[in-house]
Amino acid sequence: DTDPSYFPPIHDVTGAAYVPKRCWIDVEQAILEAKHIVCLTGWSIFTETALTRCGKGEEDRTLGELLKEKAAQGVEVRVMVWDELLFSVQ
């Protein structure tokens, strides 16, 4: 995730400041906290992606490893990858 101070401040229509979220950190945390079901959907799900980087000599856990861990805990894991027909027409 990028340091929020890198970007200029952004305000919504009410004048309130937009506070960027921690994207991949938040995604990983949501999966870790799931108790019943995890649903992922998108154009492509690359299971070898490390959502967060540990550094400090620790091994990064990939999305695929994280999903397998949750499934082993009894959490239902559903992944839907779609193919847009418009892009497959030659």
Side-chain angles (χ1 to χ4, degrees), residues 1 24-25 27-28 46-55 58-66:
D1 288 315
W24 301 117
I25 295 170
V27 169
E28 182 177 55
F46 187 60
T47 58
E48 297 303 312
T49 300
L51 297 177
T52 57
R53 306 320 190 264
C54 296
E58 296 178 38
E59 190 169 323
D60 299 329
R61 179 175 37 210
T62 67
L63 173 60
E65 292 167 342
L66 182 56

Side-chain angles (χ1 to χ4, degrees), residues 1-69:
D1 288 315
T2 305
D3 177 4
S5 64
Y6 177 79
F7 299 102
I10 299 172
H11 296 86
D12 67 16
V13 294
T14 67
Y18 167 73
V19 180
K21 305 296 185 231
R22 302 171 309 154
C23 190
W24 301 117
I25 295 170
D26 292 341
V27 169
E28 182 177 55
Q29 193 62 42
I31 294 171
L32 286 169
E33 293 176 5
K35 292 178 177 39
H36 305 288
I37 190 168
V38 172
C39 296
L40 296 177
T41 186
W43 296 110
S44 143
I45 306 292
F46 187 60
T47 58
E48 297 303 312
T49 300
L51 297 177
T52 57
R53 306 320 190 264
C54 296
K56 304 174 190 153
E58 296 178 38
E59 190 169 323
D60 299 329
R61 179 175 37 210
T62 67
L63 173 60
E65 292 167 342
L66 182 56
L67 294 175
K68 286 193 290 188
E69 286 176 24

